[in-house]
Amino acid sequence: ETGVTQTPRHLVMGMTNKKSLKCEQHLGHNAMYWYKQSAKKPLELMFVYNFKEQTENNSVPSRFSPECPNSSHLFLHLHTLQPEDSALYLCASSHAGQGEVGETQYFGPGTRLLVL
Amino acid sequence: AQKITQTQPGMFVQEKEAVTLDCTYDTSDQSYGLFWYKQPSSGEMIFLIYQGSYDEQNATEGRYSLNFQKARKSANLVISASQLGDSAMYFCAMRERDTGRRALTFGSGTRLQVQP
């Protein structure tokens, strides 16, 4: 596997279900991100992890729970979601430097989530 | 005010012609970075090109070039010799140094369709 992988690619869940999204990066990076892309809206940052520590949380509802066990893996645990949470969830990674504006993020293929 | 503005929701271009996708940004930071990503229908965000605010030369990567006009706060993407595979959504994004945030701020995107 190369780059950033995400599983599953597609997910349909009911509002009472619990599911998890998985992201793995094979680039040796130390920062990982979750973004949400809803229809007709710009990408929205959800969470940022740097060296396994959460450094940014963009006021995300608690029904989304991230987990970063190591620098290569990132999870997003989902429970009691709402239909408006249906979206494309994108994971990204980067090599975190010291405030470098040119730090490039590399994205996975995303998980298309539909909440019924 | 929006940080990143992409005023063209959709663009058409004939195969083998050049096309310019517009991006304007808003920042008071002196140090920032501008990125362009391509998103095919499969969903993955593909990094195309980067321009730093202190870079004196316009960035180029193969058929992609960035027309950076700092005083006008614009960072337009130019695709030369368009190919059918260039049909996709294109997003402009920015990172500002002074915010201390790792995450990128994205525009709403431009859908490019290349016609044979």
Side-chain angles (χ1 to χ4, degrees), chain A residues 40-115:
Chain A
K40 300 181 180 179
K41 290 176 73 173
L43 260 76
E44 302 172 84
L45 174 75
M46 299 178 75
F47 303 102
V48 181
Y49 278 82
N50 189 16
F51 290 101
K52 303 187 300 177
E53 299 298 320
Q54 189 181 123
T55 56
E56 291 181 49
N57 176 337
N58 197 28
S59 302
V60 179
S62 60
R63 58 185 183 270
F64 295 91
S65 175
E67 178 190 0
C68 189
N70 54 60
S71 293
S72 298
H73 294 86
L74 185 64
F75 296 88
L76 188 63
H77 304 299
L78 317 171
H79 63 98
T80 59
L81 294 192
Q82 305 298 312
E84 59 265 29
D85 297 322
S86 299
L88 179 68
Y89 289 85
L90 289 160
C91 173
S93 71
S94 68
H95 181 75
Q98 295 297 319
E100 298 170 7
V101 293
E103 182 184 309
T104 300
Q105 292 179 18
Y106 294 90
F107 285 78
T111 295
R112 291 192 185 275
L113 173 67
L114 177 61
V115 182

Side-chain angles (χ1 to χ4, degrees), chain B residues 27-41:
Chain B
T27 181
S28 57
D29 204 332
Q30 295 302 306
S31 179
Y32 51 90
L34 297 156
F35 302 78
W36 276 92
Y37 284 84
K38 171 185 179 182
Q39 187 179 39
S41 56

Side-chain angles (χ1 to χ4, degrees), chain B residues 12-114:
Chain B
F12 289 90
V13 65
Q14 290 294 124
E15 198 177 3
K16 299 180 185 177
E17 292 186 352
V19 63
T20 297
L21 306 183
D22 294 341
C23 172
T24 57
Y25 58 92
D26 181 27
T27 181
S28 57
D29 204 332
Q30 295 302 306
S31 179
Y32 51 90
L34 297 156
F35 302 78
W36 276 92
Y37 284 84
K38 171 185 179 182
Q39 187 179 39
S41 56
S42 58
E44 182 175 357
M45 297 283 281
I46 302 167
F47 167 69
L48 296 178
I49 195 167
Y50 164 77
Q51 179 85 42
S53 59
Y54 290 115
D55 294 341
E56 294 185 354
Q57 305 270 3
N58 284 344
T60 61
E61 288 286 348
R63 295 186 298 110
Y64 304 108
S65 60
L66 206 152
N67 183 1
F68 181 46
Q69 298 187 42
K70 194 170 181 177
R72 297 179 62 183
K73 294 188 176 178
S74 75
N76 299 338
L77 177 70
V78 181
I79 305 174
S80 62
S82 298
Q83 301 172 356
L84 295 177
D86 294 334
S87 295
M89 285 289 291
Y90 289 81
F91 292 92
C92 180
M94 176 174 66
R95 179 185 291 112
E96 301 163 278
R97 183 191 65 187
D98 285 351
T99 65
R101 297 180 66 227
R102 299 218 109 74
L104 295 169
T105 301
F106 284 83
S108 55
T110 295
R111 181 172 297 282
L112 177 67
Q113 295 188 56
V114 180

